[in-house]
Amino acid sequence: MSAINLHTIRLALEAKRKELLSGGSDRNEILIETAADEFDRMQQQLNREVALSNLVRESRLLRDVEAASARLANGTFGTCLQCDEEIPEKRLKAIPWAAHCVACQERIDRQRSTGEVGEAKHAGEIAA
Ligand SMILES: [Zn+2]
């Protein structure tokens, strides 16, 4: 990791973290309230599902951002967690919190979409 400006990365991660913590999506949708009308109830249920999946996506992203900050601090930033290859600078500039090279990320995404759990094993490392 030489060409890439780590200070810029740090700022980008910090900004993203603040943005996520300030709560982009509407958490109020998740509040359980029951409308009198059947149709309203269905609409609420739908809104709740959308808000929940946004929340899940955001918290996953927040975790990735914080993990990237931790890797920045311990000097392992920019290395793919899966195959230990360097993550291309271009990719890190686009997604500073990327934890995997493109090939590994694609494999993970594929596993995730077919229902296999491909991320749980990293949870412990990140917490440390
Ligand atoms: Zn990789």
Side-chain angles (χ1 to χ4, degrees):
M1 263 307 107
S2 52
I4 198 161
N5 187 335
L6 291 180
H7 182 63
T8 308
I9 294 283
R10 188 175 289 124
L11 291 180
L13 289 174
E14 198 48 47
K16 189 69 188 173
R17 184 168 175 273
K18 285 211 180 94
E19 180 195 318
L20 288 167
L21 285 174
S22 71
S25 66
D26 190 2
R27 275 148 219 244
N28 292 329
E29 296 289 359
I30 297 167
L31 290 175
I32 307 297
E33 50 175 293
T34 310
D37 186 82
E38 173 90 19
F39 179 79
D40 285 350
R41 270 203 299 275
M42 278 162 58
Q43 191 59 47
Q44 277 178 344
Q45 176 64 25
L46 210 63
N47 291 347
R48 208 146 40 222
E49 279 166 18
V50 170
L52 262 178
S53 74
N54 284 343
L55 208 58
V56 167
R57 199 166 32 99
E58 279 171 18
S59 67
R60 188 177 284 166
L61 188 56
L62 179 63
R63 205 189 54 190
D64 287 349
V65 169
E66 290 183 335
S69 295
R71 289 196 301 278
L72 207 55
N74 70 22
T76 58
F77 182 83
T79 305
C80 175
L81 290 182
Q82 204 82 36
C83 67
D84 283 335
E85 293 289 328
E86 271 199 13
I87 301 172
E89 187 186 331
K90 211 175 108 195
R91 173 163 167 77
L92 289 173
K93 277 186 173 154
I95 313 170
W97 50 88
H100 302 97
C101 67
V102 177
C104 290
Q105 187 62 55
E106 279 175 355
R107 193 164 49 230
I108 290 164
D109 287 346
R110 232 183 353 257
Q111 286 171 348
R112 203 175 272 163
S113 67
T114 55
E116 288 175 50
V117 182
E119 58 177 335
K121 64 181 167 188
H122 287 306
E125 300 171 16
I126 290 161

